[in-house]
Amino acid sequence: GQSLEQPSEVTAVEGAIVQINCTYQTSGFYGLSWYQQHDGGAPTFLSYNALDGLEETGRFSSFLSRSDSYGYLLLQELQMKDSASYFCAVRDQSNTGKLIFGQGTTLQVKP
Amino acid sequence: EAQVTQNPRYLITVTGKKLTVTCSQNMNHEYMSWYRQDPGLGLRQIYYSMNVEVTDKGDVPEGYKVSRKEKRNFPLILESPSPNQTSLYFCASTTGLAGNEQFFGPGTRLTVL
């Protein structure tokens, strides 16, 4: 079957660096996305990796290794406002409209 | 302002009473999709549409219908709602492919009694 695995919870302190991992098992692969969702809010797009390597956007970076079916989101200089849920999502190549989300990682940033 | 809107934002209904949740986007996006979010299960795709008159099933389509008669609108229809459809629903849109940046609506919290 198709699945994505992420840790359910991560805790870190303000100013620290945290990495949220995502491993996937899908029938096809056409890119890994990351979304952030604050409690009660809509998911917002953070990044998209179609090729191997690191993509950097400000304090957030995302990495992909297609050979390992693995990616991660790296958050640097953590701020309290980064406390949220983070979802990885994979576009299934076999069906270009289908997007499969992981169950999400709840990040708690402590002072 | 570029946005995806959903209505209603909150709805409490009873089993079997047909309902429609509307979704509209003003960004001229080809791709639109519906998701439901349940605790511990993340976002699960219900239906998606690659363009007008083109719709297809996601992972959890049972009990739902959609239509795409116009590019901007993608309503979600529950012909006979049941309590297991109590959930938080999100509509999203993007230009081009599903993996690209998706813009999500604010969500509709549905309770079926």
Side-chain angles (χ1 to χ4, degrees), chain A residues 38-68:
Chain A
H38 285 99
D39 213 18
T44 55
F45 175 82
L46 292 176
S47 68
Y48 174 67
N49 294 66
L51 302 174
D52 292 351
L54 189 68
E55 296 273 347
E56 298 181 63
T57 309
R59 294 187 298 114
F60 293 3
S61 303
S62 57
F63 172 81
L64 174 66
S65 170
R66 289 174 295 172
S67 60
D68 296 321

Side-chain angles (χ1 to χ4, degrees), chain A residues 70-91:
Chain A
Y70 163 76
Y72 66 71
L73 180 70
L74 191 73
L75 296 83
Q76 302 182 72
E77 300 171 23
L78 280 175
Q79 302 176 9
M80 296 298 291
K81 67 178 182 179
D82 296 330
S83 293
S85 292
Y86 294 84
F87 295 89
C88 58
V90 168
R91 184 181 146 214

